[in-house]
């Protein structure tokens, strides 16, 4: 069934009814057929340009409202200096950068930010911000989304982060991200970016209030996007951790989803996506041990070292991992680790 391609009803049936071991086995077989036994990841640093955000998403433990004592905006030179240090000391080849919806930032701020990074470390790829940030700043500055993307690309942006996708279904978005763009708008901006030569990742935040049909729908829409544009680099299922979030404080989500659900989500992603797109085992959201298991359930990328990550760690996630630690996660389950760049070109087998 998986090899001939799942339709939505097939996928929903399997996610609801199939046992986790059967799903994992089928997904692993498909992954080995299409991708072999190689597991990739990038050596990257995560820097948030600001934590000031007016979106007030109840899933987020990271943001601070304007005027909050813990709010900050990093100067472009500060960001560039941090990237330069991580490049020299740890060999990072990618800057993953995003922030919030900060109403005080100007187009010139981002011009200077991206240009200064490229001036200091020209070989480091800049990936970010998210589709939601593109939309927010387009509205704030009263320009088109295309103008925002064009300006960022000219200043040095290489790829777009996949964040902000959450779950595309509107009934879920109303609960988890009521003030962000719609799922359709996220897909529209992604398609626009791809057509402009800016590739992106795609994420899916799961383990909160969604149902199986929302997960299946989300993955199929990611697949459809990839078939239209070919501009996606990686699909990243991100497990929701409710700690320090409004959803937990309100009693909507008490605890993280069980690990069996993590396996099902990753496995069904592989069964739906087939050879269209790599699927990530995002160790930062599920933990390093479970990430190894997910590499036997359809995943074949570990995202990155994620030095300095702050958003998920605000909700209790573990911090960064070294290149060797990620390589060991792959080796533990008999896979061959490979260091890649932002565009999934293999730099070295480890």
């Amino acid at each position: 069934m998986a090899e001939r391609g799942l339709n939505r009803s097939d996928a929903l049936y399997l996610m609801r009814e199939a046992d986790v071991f059967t799903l994992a086995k089928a997904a692993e077989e498909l992954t080995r057929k299409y991708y072999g036994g190689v597991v990739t990841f990038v050596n990257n640093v995560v820097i948030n340009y600001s934590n000031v955000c007016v979106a007030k998403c109840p899933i987020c433990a990271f943001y601070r409202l304007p005027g909050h004592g813990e709010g900050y905006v990093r100067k472009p030179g500060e960001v560039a200096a941090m990237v330069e240090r991580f490049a020299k000391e740890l060999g990072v080849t990618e800057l993953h950068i995003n922030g919030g919806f900060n109403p005080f930032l100007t187009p010139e701020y981002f011009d200077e930010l991206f240009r200064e990074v490229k001036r200091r470390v020209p070989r480091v790829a800049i990936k970010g911000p998210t589709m939601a940030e593109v939309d927010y700043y387009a509205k704030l500055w009263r320009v088109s989304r295309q103008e925002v993307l064009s300006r960022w690309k000219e200043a040095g942006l290489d790829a777009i982060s996949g964040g902000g996708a959450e779950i595309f279904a509107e009934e879920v978005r109303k609960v988890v991200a009521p003030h962000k763009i719609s799922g359709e708008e996220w897909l529209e901006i992604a398609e626009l970016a791809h057509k402009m030569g800016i590739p992106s990742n795609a994420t899916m935040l799961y383990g909160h209030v969604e149902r199986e049909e929302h997960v299946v729908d989300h993955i199929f829409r990611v697949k459809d996007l990839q078939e239209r544009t070919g501009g996606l680099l990686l699909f990243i299922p991100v497990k929701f951790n409710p700690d320090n979030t409004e959803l937990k404080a309100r009693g909507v989500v008490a605890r993280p989803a069980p690990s069996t659900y993590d396996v099902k989500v990753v496995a069904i992603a592989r069964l739906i996506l087939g050879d269209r797109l790599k699927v990530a085992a995002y160790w930062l959201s599920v933990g390093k041990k479970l990430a190894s298991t997910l590499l036997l359930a359809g995943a074949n990328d570990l995202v990155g070292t994620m030095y300095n990550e702050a958003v998920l760690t605000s909700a209790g996630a573990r911090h960064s991992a070294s290149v060797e630690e990620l390589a060991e996660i792959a080796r533990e389950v008999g896979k061959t680790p490979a260091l890649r760049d932002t565009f999934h070109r293999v730099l070295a087998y480890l």
Side-chain angles (χ1 to χ4, degrees):
M1 182 187 290
E3 290 201 22
R4 73 169 187 266
L6 296 180
N7 59 37
R8 287 172 182 254
S9 59
D10 289 338
L12 185 55
Y13 173 81
L14 288 174
M15 191 170 183
R16 284 176 172 168
E17 304 299 333
D19 70 86
V20 67
F21 301 105
T22 301
L23 273 183
K25 184 173 183 294
E28 164 67 355
E29 288 175 359
L30 211 56
T31 305
R32 284 198 173 269
K33 175 183 176 181
Y34 292 132
Y35 295 97
V38 175
V39 170
T40 51
F41 55 88
V42 69
N43 188 8
N44 65 347
V45 59
V46 183
I47 299 176
N48 302 104
Y49 58 81
S50 175
N51 67 343
V52 175
C53 184
V54 295
K56 297 188 287 188
C57 295
I59 53 172
C60 183
F62 172 71
Y63 79 90
R64 298 294 182 266
L65 290 172
H68 193 286
E70 296 174 359
Y72 66 81
V73 176
R74 297 191 194 277
K75 294 179 180 178
E78 177 190 357
V79 173
M82 290 175 70
V83 180
E84 187 175 29
R85 178 170 62 85
F86 276 95
K88 286 181 177 178
E89 295 178 5
L90 296 169
V92 301
T93 62
E94 175 187 282
L95 164 63
H96 178 109
I97 186 162
N98 50 37
F101 295 175
N102 188 325
F104 306 111
L105 297 183
T106 65
E108 291 76 18
Y109 171 82
F110 289 95
D111 292 346
E112 186 181 349
L113 175 63
F114 297 147
R115 286 190 176 127
E116 186 62 15
V117 170
K118 284 296 186 182
R119 187 185 72 79
R120 295 269 198 108
V121 275
R123 294 184 180 179
V124 171
I126 301 175
K127 185 189 72 192
T130 66
M131 315 303 169
E133 286 162 277
V134 171
D135 179 78
Y136 175 76
Y137 289 113
K139 289 173 178 171
L140 179 68
W141 302 331
R142 298 181 182 179
V143 298
S144 69
R145 295 164 175 172
Q146 182 167 347
E147 188 171 336
V148 172
L149 287 167
S150 180
R151 189 160 180 164
W152 287 356
K153 183 181 180 183
E154 185 178 344
L157 184 70
D158 295 293
I160 293 279
S161 164
E166 321 308 3
I167 292 277
F168 292 142
E170 289 310 309
E171 62 184 293
V172 178
R173 295 183 83 81
K174 287 176 182 176
V175 177
V176 302
H179 305 297
K180 274 186 182 169
I181 53 175
S182 68
E184 278 302 321
E185 288 174 309
W186 190 99
L187 291 162
E188 287 170 8
I189 297 168
E191 186 162 356
L192 173 62
H194 298 171
K195 288 178 178 177
M196 295 174 64
I198 308 172
S200 75
N201 290 337
T203 60
M204 177 181 70
L205 185 71
Y206 70 90
H208 38 82
V209 300
E210 86 283 353
R211 299 188 299 273
E212 290 95 338
E213 61 264 32
H214 299 135
V215 169
V216 167
D217 172 71
H218 187 103
I219 300 169
F220 267 101
R221 288 162 89 174
V222 167
K223 181 183 178 183
D224 292 344
L225 173 65
Q226 182 69 338
E227 290 177 342
R228 288 196 306 275
T229 71
L232 290 173
L233 299 166
L234 179 65
F235 177 61
I236 310 174
V238 181
K239 181 174 186 170
F240 176 62
N241 189 328
D243 290 350
N244 304 319
T245 68
E246 184 185 330
L247 281 191
K248 183 170 184 177
R250 291 181 0 218
V252 177
V253 183
R255 61 189 64 84
S259 57
T260 49
Y261 187 65
D262 300 317
V263 174
K264 279 197 167 190
V265 166
V266 166
I268 207 67
R270 169 58 62 219
L271 295 178
I272 291 170
L273 294 171
D275 63 349
R276 304 297 199 283
L277 197 56
K278 292 164 79 173
V279 176
Y282 195 18
W283 64 269
L284 192 60
S285 71
V286 299
K288 293 171 185 174
K289 288 299 181 185
L290 184 53
S292 277
T293 301
L294 297 180
L295 295 178
L296 295 174
N300 62 330
D301 190 277
L302 288 166
V303 185
T305 50
M306 307 299 286
Y307 294 117
N308 199 57
E309 200 281 336
V311 176
L312 290 179
T313 52
S314 298
R318 297 286 178 91
H319 287 276
S320 60
S322 68
V323 167
E324 182 52 37
E325 283 178 295
L326 293 187
E328 189 54 35
I329 289 173
R331 292 191 202 107
E332 279 182 4
V333 289
K335 304 279 184 168
T336 301
L339 188 64
R340 61 167 174 83
D341 67 7
T342 298
F343 309 102
H344 290 257
R345 297 175 295 220
V346 172
L347 303 176
Y349 292 97
L350 305 173

